[in-house]
Amino acid sequence: MDVIPAIDLRGGKVVRLRQGDYNQQTTYADDPIAVARGFAEAGAPWVHVVDLDGAAAGVTPHLEVCRRIVEAIQAPLEFGGGLRSLETIDAIFDIGVGRVVLGTAAIEDPLLVQAAIAKHGSSRIVVGVDTRGGMVATRGWVEQSSIRVEDVLRQMATLGVRRFVYTDISRDGMLTEPNFDAVASVVMAATELGSTVIASGGVSNVAHLRRLADIGAEGVIVGSAIYTGALDLAEALRAYGRVI
Amino acid sequence: MADIVIVDYGAGNLRSVQKAFEQLGYDATITEDPTTVAQAPAIVFPGQGASPPAMDALNKAGLTEAIYTSLTGGTPFFGVCLGLQLLMDLSEEGPVDCLSVLPGVTKKLPAALKVPHMGWNNVRLRKEHPVFHDVPQDSYFYFVHSYYAEPADDAAVLGTTDYGVTFCSVAARGSLVATQFHPEKSGPAGLKLYDNFMRYVVLQQAVPEV
């Protein structure tokens, strides 16, 4: 299972939000490049970068910061937040990002997903499915839809999507525990569709990683637990990441 | 004079490669100048994208001749990704004469699989090599590609990787080594390959006993 450390960017700084609430922000570091370098040197297989300003606005204000991270570290970048046009997706690949996560764009614009996969390949286009109470949330988690998770998975798989990032917003940044039942049902549904799932939200110790691995998650994104020191990334990678 | 020269023919962002060598304490120059390439003490030949436009760019820039000059002179050479594929004679990607440094053909990965082959995969070494000194068998490296090189001479295949097909993920001959994966994106193990290349191939230090 890939243990993937996350860097959430807001105003150029590394922050965490509680439950995706823009008013409940903690700033952890001023220099995202140094943070990313630390993750890569610990052996992280991917570094997950979210542009929180982009997620809300629909543009990618942190493109230059991302470029500097890509150039500075020996690990591939997974990027999400604000990717709502093929041009923006092309721009983020041009700077050397490995794969992108489409959230709102995928829900609102299936044709974009189709075009992005046709152009860049299914292994480079990941769809992020963020939920609150079993329903899909969009626009930086500010808006709530009435779409069921299973329906989104099915529709996206039809478009050629083969990898999902599944986030339970109510657990994100809370350091409680992942919603294991929800992850398990998403993994099961995705597996039937020939897709894999990266779980996100709520991880706060190594035991949580063990359960997610048992459930069959391809990967897990970890944020707050690393920043608060609840989880040691190097130790987690030794236990559940591949040895590299 | 730089310790190593990175050939720039417009195929991708080369700063990651440069930064990796800089992090190891070496002076790495990115250049599109044929003279600089021909006279370089060591060369990194990176690249991403398709073979036909890449060869076109190399030919137009006069870099093809410069690469031949340095290889003929035995300059240590590290090919990466497309920089491995272009060493073959031909490519299934289109009608194009590649560099023919290593006899062979670049082929398309089986269509049944997720393409591009992107992500971490392991490399099985067939024999010892200074560049892989102290790198464990079956170590994982980061790949992004839809085509793979198939050297005609089996002796040139140093390492293989499985992705629907077992393909050559590392080729080596003399002071030339080329990887299908990206060492500069492959974490501590990838960085070690560049370090080993500089120490044991370029600077010709003795390889320690393991």
Side-chain angles (χ1 to χ4, degrees):
Chain A
M1 184 174 69
D2 285 344
V3 178
I4 304 172
I7 293 176
D8 287 8
L9 295 172
R10 195 175 179 198
K13 296 181 177 184
V14 181
V15 308
R16 301 300 298 170
L17 304 180
R18 284 164 64 90
Q19 300 182 326
D21 184 346
Y22 281 71
N23 296 316
Q24 293 192 65
Q25 173 183 319
T26 309
T27 302
Y28 282 105
D30 292 333
D31 183 1
I33 291 133
V35 173
R37 196 176 286 136
F39 290 162
E41 283 169 2
W46 290 89
V47 174
H48 181 82
V49 175
V50 177
D51 188 336
L52 289 173
D53 296 324
V59 292
T60 308
H62 286 98
L63 193 70
E64 196 48 41
V65 176
C66 286
R67 183 203 305 277
R68 287 167 57 209
I69 296 175
V70 166
E71 289 172 352
I73 69 170
Q74 282 92 50
L77 227 70
E78 174 176 278
F79 176 89
L83 298 176
R84 288 177 206 156
S85 71
L86 205 51
E87 291 71 30
T88 325
I89 294 168
D90 292 349
I92 204 80
F93 280 131
D94 278 347
I95 64 166
V97 162
R99 64 188 183 200
V100 300
V101 183
L102 308 181
T104 301
I107 311 296
E108 293 178 353
D109 190 357
L111 289 177
L112 174 66
V113 178
Q114 214 162 18
I117 289 176
K119 184 160 186 186
H120 298 287
S122 60
S123 43
R124 309 195 77 170
I125 307 294
V126 183
V127 165
V129 182
D130 309 328
T131 68
R132 191 186 273 127
M135 296 296 169
V136 175
T138 58
R139 295 213 179 263
W141 299 349
V142 176
E143 288 181 17
Q144 177 87 23
S145 74
S146 56
I147 309 164
R148 295 190 325 134
V149 181
E150 291 75 7
D151 295 335
V152 169
L153 297 180
R154 196 172 308 109
Q155 186 200 11
M156 290 298 143
T158 309
L159 299 174
V161 176
R162 292 292 172 264
R163 179 176 286 115
F164 296 97
V165 172
Y166 171 64
T167 307
D168 188 320
I169 297 170
S170 62
R171 307 296 176 109
D172 202 68
M174 297 303 284
L175 290 176
T176 51
E177 65 171 23
N179 188 342
F180 294 110
D181 291 343
V183 174
S185 67
V186 168
V187 167
M188 200 178 298
T191 304
E192 278 179 22
L193 298 164
S195 302
T196 54
V197 176
I198 296 168
S200 174
V203 167
S204 57
N205 60 48
V206 173
H208 293 160
L209 298 179
R210 185 178 313 132
R211 280 189 68 182
L212 290 170
D214 288 346
I215 283 169
E218 180 194 40
V220 55
I221 294 170
V222 186
S224 301
I226 297 172
Y227 293 105
T228 59
L231 187 84
D232 180 67
L233 178 63
E235 186 194 333
L237 287 166
R238 273 195 298 276
Y240 293 99
R242 59 177 59 92
V243 181
I244 57 171
Chain B
M1 172 69 91
D3 298 312
I4 187 156
V5 162
I6 301 161
V7 185
D8 182 5
Y9 53 101
N13 185 348
L14 307 180
R15 284 284 291 152
S16 314
V17 178
Q18 184 184 35
K19 287 250 185 186
F21 281 97
E22 285 173 354
Q23 207 170 312
L24 293 165
Y26 297 104
D27 182 359
T29 300
I30 297 173
T31 187
E32 49 193 30
D33 172 40
T35 309
T36 307
V37 171
Q39 296 173 353
I43 289 172
V44 182
F45 184 47
Q48 59 188 44
S51 298
M55 280 310 305
D56 198 36
L58 286 169
N59 291 334
K60 280 191 179 139
L63 286 164
T64 308
E65 282 307 314
I67 287 167
Y68 286 143
T69 303
S70 65
L71 282 172
T72 310
T75 302
F77 185 98
F78 202 127
V80 177
C81 195
L82 187 62
L84 162 58
Q85 297 171 12
L86 292 178
L87 301 178
M88 304 289 107
D89 297 312
L90 301 164
S91 172
E92 287 184 358
E93 217 162 349
V96 59
D97 287 329
C98 296
L99 294 170
S100 294
V101 170
L102 298 173
V105 179
T106 292
K107 298 187 164 179
K108 197 173 189 359
L109 283 167
L113 295 161
K114 255 189 239 182
V115 171
H117 170 218
M118 196 211 57
W120 295 80
N121 207 336
N122 55 345
V123 171
R124 174 139 287 241
L125 291 175
R126 292 187 172 179
K127 53 198 167 204
E128 288 185 5
H129 191 281
V131 167
F132 281 81
H133 168 68
D134 204 20
V135 175
Q137 180 67 292
D138 290 320
S139 286
Y140 280 83
F141 296 93
Y142 177 72
F143 291 81
V144 189
H145 64 122
S146 301
Y147 289 78
Y148 64 97
E150 192 171 270
D153 178 9
D154 211 41
V157 180
L158 175 61
T160 61
T161 295
D162 295 331
Y163 191 69
V165 58
T166 300
F167 65 89
C168 168
S169 49
V170 193
R173 193 182 69 193
S175 56
L176 173 152
V177 62
T179 60
Q180 180 57 64
F181 56 83
H182 291 264
E184 73 280 1
K185 288 288 149 201
S186 296
L191 204 56
K192 185 144 186 82
L193 297 193
Y194 282 159
D195 198 23
N196 286 341
F197 177 70
M198 291 308 295
R199 284 171 192 271
Y200 309 128
V201 182
V202 180
L203 302 172
Q204 301 188 335
Q205 295 172 8
V207 182
E209 298 283 326
V210 181

PDB file of all heavy atoms in Angstrom, chain A residues 122-123 160 162 193-195, chain B residues 108-118 145-146 148 163-165:
ATOM      1  N   SER A 122      -5.127   6.862 -18.687  1.00  0.00           N
ATOM      2  CA  SER A 122      -5.895   6.622 -17.457  1.00  0.00           C
ATOM      3  C   SER A 122      -4.996   6.552 -16.224  1.00  0.00           C
ATOM      4  O   SER A 122      -5.455   6.774 -15.109  1.00  0.00           O
ATOM      5  CB  SER A 122      -6.711   5.338 -17.578  1.00  0.00           C
ATOM      6  OG  SER A 122      -5.854   4.235 -17.786  1.00  0.00           O
ATOM      7  N   SER A 123      -3.717   6.243 -16.400  1.00  0.00           N
ATOM      8  CA  SER A 123      -2.854   6.165 -15.221  1.00  0.00           C
ATOM      9  C   SER A 123      -2.444   7.545 -14.708  1.00  0.00           C
ATOM     10  O   SER A 123      -1.880   7.660 -13.627  1.00  0.00           O
ATOM     11  CB  SER A 123      -1.633   5.296 -15.504  1.00  0.00           C
ATOM     12  OG  SER A 123      -1.096   5.586 -16.758  1.00  0.00           O
ATOM     13  N   GLY A 160     -13.640   5.682 -18.286  1.00  0.00           N
ATOM     14  CA  GLY A 160     -12.256   5.198 -18.372  1.00  0.00           C
ATOM     15  C   GLY A 160     -11.416   5.451 -17.135  1.00  0.00           C
ATOM     16  O   GLY A 160     -10.223   5.172 -17.121  1.00  0.00           O
ATOM     17  N   ARG A 162      -9.704   4.786 -13.730  1.00  0.00           N
ATOM     18  CA  ARG A 162      -9.242   3.528 -13.125  1.00  0.00           C
ATOM     19  C   ARG A 162      -8.683   3.716 -11.715  1.00  0.00           C
ATOM     20  O   ARG A 162      -8.229   2.770 -11.084  1.00  0.00           O
ATOM     21  CB  ARG A 162      -8.179   2.869 -14.022  1.00  0.00           C
ATOM     22  CG  ARG A 162      -8.746   2.349 -15.353  1.00  0.00           C
ATOM     23  CD  ARG A 162      -9.688   1.174 -15.128  1.00  0.00           C
ATOM     24  NE  ARG A 162     -10.391   0.766 -16.344  1.00  0.00           N
ATOM     25  CZ  ARG A 162     -11.618   1.168 -16.662  1.00  0.00           C
ATOM     26  NH1 ARG A 162     -12.284   1.995 -15.864  1.00  0.00           N
ATOM     27  NH2 ARG A 162     -12.198   0.759 -17.766  1.00  0.00           N
ATOM     28  N   LEU A 193     -15.476  -2.459 -10.643  1.00  0.00           N
ATOM     29  CA  LEU A 193     -15.393  -1.646 -11.857  1.00  0.00           C
ATOM     30  C   LEU A 193     -13.976  -1.654 -12.445  1.00  0.00           C
ATOM     31  O   LEU A 193     -13.670  -0.899 -13.369  1.00  0.00           O
ATOM     32  CB  LEU A 193     -15.813  -0.202 -11.539  1.00  0.00           C
ATOM     33  CG  LEU A 193     -17.260  -0.020 -11.057  1.00  0.00           C
ATOM     34  CD1 LEU A 193     -17.445   1.341 -10.398  1.00  0.00           C
ATOM     35  CD2 LEU A 193     -18.221  -0.178 -12.241  1.00  0.00           C
ATOM     36  N   GLY A 194     -13.090  -2.478 -11.862  1.00  0.00           N
ATOM     37  CA  GLY A 194     -11.722  -2.572 -12.366  1.00  0.00           C
ATOM     38  C   GLY A 194     -10.851  -1.400 -11.958  1.00  0.00           C
ATOM     39  O   GLY A 194      -9.859  -1.085 -12.624  1.00  0.00           O
ATOM     40  N   SER A 195     -11.208  -0.736 -10.862  1.00  0.00           N
ATOM     41  CA  SER A 195     -10.470   0.450 -10.432  1.00  0.00           C
ATOM     42  C   SER A 195      -9.892   0.261  -9.030  1.00  0.00           C
ATOM     43  O   SER A 195     -10.296  -0.626  -8.284  1.00  0.00           O
ATOM     44  CB  SER A 195     -11.391   1.670 -10.418  1.00  0.00           C
ATOM     45  OG  SER A 195     -11.935   1.873 -11.700  1.00  0.00           O
TER      46      SER A 195
ATOM     47  N   LYS B 108       5.846  -0.883 -28.620  1.00  0.00           N
ATOM     48  CA  LYS B 108       4.730  -0.367 -27.826  1.00  0.00           C
ATOM     49  C   LYS B 108       4.364  -1.384 -26.740  1.00  0.00           C
ATOM     50  O   LYS B 108       4.382  -2.589 -26.989  1.00  0.00           O
ATOM     51  CB  LYS B 108       3.523  -0.156 -28.751  1.00  0.00           C
ATOM     52  CG  LYS B 108       2.447   0.737 -28.163  1.00  0.00           C
ATOM     53  CD  LYS B 108       1.384   1.005 -29.234  1.00  0.00           C
ATOM     54  CE  LYS B 108       0.345   2.034 -28.905  1.00  0.00           C
ATOM     55  NZ  LYS B 108       0.301   2.731 -27.683  1.00  0.00           N
ATOM     56  N   LEU B 109       4.047  -0.880 -25.554  1.00  0.00           N
ATOM     57  CA  LEU B 109       3.583  -1.764 -24.490  1.00  0.00           C
ATOM     58  C   LEU B 109       2.240  -2.380 -24.887  1.00  0.00           C
ATOM     59  O   LEU B 109       1.470  -1.755 -25.628  1.00  0.00           O
ATOM     60  CB  LEU B 109       3.415  -0.986 -23.186  1.00  0.00           C
ATOM     61  CG  LEU B 109       4.696  -0.643 -22.408  1.00  0.00           C
ATOM     62  CD1 LEU B 109       4.396   0.388 -21.328  1.00  0.00           C
ATOM     63  CD2 LEU B 109       5.343  -1.875 -21.796  1.00  0.00           C
ATOM     64  N   PRO B 110       1.938  -3.593 -24.397  1.00  0.00           N
ATOM     65  CA  PRO B 110       0.665  -4.229 -24.748  1.00  0.00           C
ATOM     66  C   PRO B 110      -0.528  -3.322 -24.429  1.00  0.00           C
ATOM     67  O   PRO B 110      -0.582  -2.718 -23.356  1.00  0.00           O
ATOM     68  CB  PRO B 110       0.638  -5.475 -23.852  1.00  0.00           C
ATOM     69  CG  PRO B 110       2.053  -5.728 -23.480  1.00  0.00           C
ATOM     70  CD  PRO B 110       2.747  -4.402 -23.495  1.00  0.00           C
ATOM     71  N   ALA B 111      -1.462  -3.232 -25.349  1.00  0.00           N
ATOM     72  CA  ALA B 111      -2.581  -2.295 -25.223  1.00  0.00           C
ATOM     73  C   ALA B 111      -3.561  -2.690 -24.122  1.00  0.00           C
ATOM     74  O   ALA B 111      -4.332  -1.873 -23.644  1.00  0.00           O
ATOM     75  CB  ALA B 111      -3.313  -2.182 -26.557  1.00  0.00           C
ATOM     76  N   ALA B 112      -3.495  -3.943 -23.698  1.00  0.00           N
ATOM     77  CA  ALA B 112      -4.454  -4.424 -22.694  1.00  0.00           C
ATOM     78  C   ALA B 112      -4.232  -3.781 -21.328  1.00  0.00           C
ATOM     79  O   ALA B 112      -5.104  -3.809 -20.472  1.00  0.00           O
ATOM     80  CB  ALA B 112      -4.344  -5.939 -22.578  1.00  0.00           C
ATOM     81  N   LEU B 113      -3.054  -3.208 -21.124  1.00  0.00           N
ATOM     82  CA  LEU B 113      -2.738  -2.672 -19.810  1.00  0.00           C
ATOM     83  C   LEU B 113      -2.973  -1.163 -19.741  1.00  0.00           C
ATOM     84  O   LEU B 113      -3.098  -0.494 -20.751  1.00  0.00           O
ATOM     85  CB  LEU B 113      -1.269  -2.962 -19.492  1.00  0.00           C
ATOM     86  CG  LEU B 113      -0.955  -4.454 -19.354  1.00  0.00           C
ATOM     87  CD1 LEU B 113       0.522  -4.699 -19.495  1.00  0.00           C
ATOM     88  CD2 LEU B 113      -1.456  -4.971 -18.017  1.00  0.00           C
ATOM     89  N   LYS B 114      -3.034  -0.677 -18.493  1.00  0.00           N
ATOM     90  CA  LYS B 114      -3.111   0.767 -18.279  1.00  0.00           C
ATOM     91  C   LYS B 114      -1.889   1.422 -18.918  1.00  0.00           C
ATOM     92  O   LYS B 114      -0.755   1.079 -18.594  1.00  0.00           O
ATOM     93  CB  LYS B 114      -3.060   1.053 -16.771  1.00  0.00           C
ATOM     94  CG  LYS B 114      -4.379   1.443 -16.122  1.00  0.00           C
ATOM     95  CD  LYS B 114      -4.146   1.918 -14.696  1.00  0.00           C
ATOM     96  CE  LYS B 114      -4.902   1.076 -13.697  1.00  0.00           C
ATOM     97  NZ  LYS B 114      -4.759   1.513 -12.309  1.00  0.00           N
ATOM     98  N   VAL B 115      -2.120   2.323 -19.834  1.00  0.00           N
ATOM     99  CA  VAL B 115      -1.017   3.019 -20.486  1.00  0.00           C
ATOM    100  C   VAL B 115      -1.231   4.513 -20.301  1.00  0.00           C
ATOM    101  O   VAL B 115      -2.358   4.976 -20.440  1.00  0.00           O
ATOM    102  CB  VAL B 115      -0.955   2.655 -21.994  1.00  0.00           C
ATOM    103  CG1 VAL B 115       0.035   3.538 -22.717  1.00  0.00           C
ATOM    104  CG2 VAL B 115      -0.566   1.194 -22.165  1.00  0.00           C
ATOM    105  N   PRO B 116      -0.206   5.295 -20.013  1.00  0.00           N
ATOM    106  CA  PRO B 116       1.177   4.834 -19.885  1.00  0.00           C
ATOM    107  C   PRO B 116       1.398   3.948 -18.664  1.00  0.00           C
ATOM    108  O   PRO B 116       0.604   3.980 -17.721  1.00  0.00           O
ATOM    109  CB  PRO B 116       1.965   6.147 -19.744  1.00  0.00           C
ATOM    110  CG  PRO B 116       0.976   7.132 -19.174  1.00  0.00           C
ATOM    111  CD  PRO B 116      -0.348   6.740 -19.772  1.00  0.00           C
ATOM    112  N   HIS B 117       2.454   3.145 -18.734  1.00  0.00           N
ATOM    113  CA  HIS B 117       2.922   2.449 -17.531  1.00  0.00           C
ATOM    114  C   HIS B 117       3.497   3.541 -16.649  1.00  0.00           C
ATOM    115  O   HIS B 117       4.540   4.102 -16.950  1.00  0.00           O
ATOM    116  CB  HIS B 117       3.997   1.430 -17.932  1.00  0.00           C
ATOM    117  CG  HIS B 117       4.722   0.819 -16.757  1.00  0.00           C
ATOM    118  ND1 HIS B 117       6.068   0.542 -16.792  1.00  0.00           N
ATOM    119  CD2 HIS B 117       4.281   0.439 -15.533  1.00  0.00           C
ATOM    120  CE1 HIS B 117       6.436   0.006 -15.628  1.00  0.00           C
ATOM    121  NE2 HIS B 117       5.375  -0.059 -14.851  1.00  0.00           N
ATOM    122  N   MET B 118       2.740   3.903 -15.602  1.00  0.00           N
ATOM    123  CA  MET B 118       3.171   5.020 -14.785  1.00  0.00           C
ATOM    124  C   MET B 118       3.083   4.665 -13.319  1.00  0.00           C
ATOM    125  O   MET B 118       2.036   4.268 -12.844  1.00  0.00           O
ATOM    126  CB  MET B 118       2.318   6.249 -15.055  1.00  0.00           C
ATOM    127  CG  MET B 118       2.963   7.496 -14.531  1.00  0.00           C
ATOM    128  SD  MET B 118       1.769   8.707 -14.023  1.00  0.00           S
ATOM    129  CE  MET B 118       0.888   7.769 -12.844  1.00  0.00           C
ATOM    130  N   HIS B 145       6.000   5.642 -19.180  1.00  0.00           N
ATOM    131  CA  HIS B 145       6.277   5.380 -20.604  1.00  0.00           C
ATOM    132  C   HIS B 145       5.202   4.506 -21.229  1.00  0.00           C
ATOM    133  O   HIS B 145       4.506   3.767 -20.536  1.00  0.00           O
ATOM    134  CB  HIS B 145       7.641   4.698 -20.776  1.00  0.00           C
ATOM    135  CG  HIS B 145       7.717   3.328 -20.151  1.00  0.00           C
ATOM    136  ND1 HIS B 145       8.034   2.196 -20.857  1.00  0.00           N
ATOM    137  CD2 HIS B 145       7.507   2.909 -18.886  1.00  0.00           C
ATOM    138  CE1 HIS B 145       8.017   1.139 -20.046  1.00  0.00           C
ATOM    139  NE2 HIS B 145       7.699   1.551 -18.856  1.00  0.00           N
ATOM    140  N   SER B 146       5.078   4.608 -22.550  1.00  0.00           N
ATOM    141  CA  SER B 146       4.145   3.769 -23.299  1.00  0.00           C
ATOM    142  C   SER B 146       4.896   2.843 -24.255  1.00  0.00           C
ATOM    143  O   SER B 146       4.312   1.932 -24.830  1.00  0.00           O
ATOM    144  CB  SER B 146       3.187   4.644 -24.106  1.00  0.00           C
ATOM    145  OG  SER B 146       2.472   5.507 -23.239  1.00  0.00           O
ATOM    146  N   TYR B 148       8.859   0.719 -25.024  1.00  0.00           N
ATOM    147  CA  TYR B 148      10.049   0.199 -24.345  1.00  0.00           C
ATOM    148  C   TYR B 148      11.092  -0.232 -25.367  1.00  0.00           C
ATOM    149  O   TYR B 148      10.760  -0.637 -26.489  1.00  0.00           O
ATOM    150  CB  TYR B 148       9.675  -0.982 -23.436  1.00  0.00           C
ATOM    151  CG  TYR B 148       9.130  -2.190 -24.168  1.00  0.00           C
ATOM    152  CD1 TYR B 148       9.950  -3.262 -24.502  1.00  0.00           C
ATOM    153  CD2 TYR B 148       7.789  -2.248 -24.542  1.00  0.00           C
ATOM    154  CE1 TYR B 148       9.456  -4.367 -25.178  1.00  0.00           C
ATOM    155  CE2 TYR B 148       7.284  -3.341 -25.216  1.00  0.00           C
ATOM    156  CZ  TYR B 148       8.117  -4.402 -25.538  1.00  0.00           C
ATOM    157  OH  TYR B 148       7.618  -5.488 -26.217  1.00  0.00           O
ATOM    158  N   TYR B 163       5.699  -5.633 -16.995  1.00  0.00           N
ATOM    159  CA  TYR B 163       4.445  -4.882 -17.085  1.00  0.00           C
ATOM    160  C   TYR B 163       3.679  -5.469 -18.273  1.00  0.00           C
ATOM    161  O   TYR B 163       3.722  -4.960 -19.387  1.00  0.00           O
ATOM    162  CB  TYR B 163       4.699  -3.383 -17.267  1.00  0.00           C
ATOM    163  CG  TYR B 163       3.438  -2.548 -17.100  1.00  0.00           C
ATOM    164  CD1 TYR B 163       2.823  -2.421 -15.855  1.00  0.00           C
ATOM    165  CD2 TYR B 163       2.836  -1.922 -18.189  1.00  0.00           C
ATOM    166  CE1 TYR B 163       1.661  -1.690 -15.695  1.00  0.00           C
ATOM    167  CE2 TYR B 163       1.671  -1.175 -18.031  1.00  0.00           C
ATOM    168  CZ  TYR B 163       1.094  -1.062 -16.792  1.00  0.00           C
ATOM    169  OH  TYR B 163      -0.063  -0.331 -16.629  1.00  0.00           O
ATOM    170  N   GLY B 164       3.040  -6.578 -18.028  1.00  0.00           N
ATOM    171  CA  GLY B 164       2.372  -7.299 -19.120  1.00  0.00           C
ATOM    172  C   GLY B 164       3.391  -8.051 -19.959  1.00  0.00           C
ATOM    173  O   GLY B 164       3.172  -9.179 -20.370  1.00  0.00           O
ATOM    174  N   VAL B 165       4.499  -7.415 -20.204  1.00  0.00           N
ATOM    175  CA  VAL B 165       5.603  -8.013 -20.934  1.00  0.00           C
ATOM    176  C   VAL B 165       6.848  -7.776 -20.072  1.00  0.00           C
ATOM    177  O   VAL B 165       6.881  -6.833 -19.283  1.00  0.00           O
ATOM    178  CB  VAL B 165       5.719  -7.337 -22.332  1.00  0.00           C
ATOM    179  CG1 VAL B 165       5.918  -5.841 -22.200  1.00  0.00           C
ATOM    180  CG2 VAL B 165       6.827  -7.936 -23.159  1.00  0.00           C
TER     181      VAL B 165
END
